[in-house]
Amino acid sequence: MKNRVTVTIAGQNYTLIADQDAAAAEKIAAHVNAKIREVMDGSNLSLADSAILAAMNIAEEYFKELESTENLRRQLKDYLEEGAKQKLEISELKREIFKLQNKR
């Protein structure tokens, strides 16, 4: 379901049509607003220039998070592979114990 949400970014109102609920859209808008304000603070940049620089900052954060996510995926894959190896080793050791117990 599409939701109509009005948000304020850099003092201007925007009506969005969003897939997510209003709270999620407002949270995203607040983040964008904060990033634009961060760029504008203490500078003489226009709103358009500030928005572009804020978009660059947000994109940088996004790509850092993607890289972090990929690193976590690799790490998880390594842990799962190590766990599978350990499980196999445990099974082999159990078989060896069983053989040794049956030799008595």
Side-chain angles (χ1 to χ4, degrees):
M1 180 173 100
K2 304 280 184 183
N3 294 310
R4 264 187 134 66
V5 183
T6 301
V7 297
T8 303
I9 300 172
Q12 296 184 6
N13 291 331
Y14 298 92
T15 300
L16 309 173
I17 298 174
D19 289 333
Q20 70 267 38
D21 63 6
E26 289 166 357
K27 183 178 177 180
I28 293 166
H31 181 72
V32 170
N33 186 56
K35 289 297 181 180
I36 291 173
R37 292 289 177 206
E38 193 177 287
V39 171
M40 290 182 83
D41 280 350
S43 73
N44 293 327
L45 296 173
S46 68
L47 178 57
D49 288 342
S50 296
I52 289 169
L53 291 175
M56 292 294 294
N57 290 340
I58 292 168
E60 180 183 20
E61 290 173 355
Y62 170 76
F63 283 108
K64 283 181 180 178
E65 289 301 321
L66 278 181
E67 185 178 330
S68 177
T69 300
E70 187 54 38
N71 287 338
L72 288 172
R73 279 191 183 112
R74 273 194 299 272
Q75 195 173 31
L76 181 57
K77 182 181 173 223
D78 291 345
Y79 290 150
L80 290 171
E81 288 173 359
E82 182 64 28
K85 287 178 188 175
Q86 295 294 325
K87 189 175 179 182
L88 183 60
E89 188 176 335
I90 289 169
S91 293
E92 290 172 6
L93 290 170
K94 283 181 179 179
R95 277 194 294 271
E96 186 65 31
I97 290 170
F98 182 75
K99 285 179 190 177
L100 291 171
Q101 287 175 341
N102 288 334
K103 283 186 177 181
R104 291 183 184 180

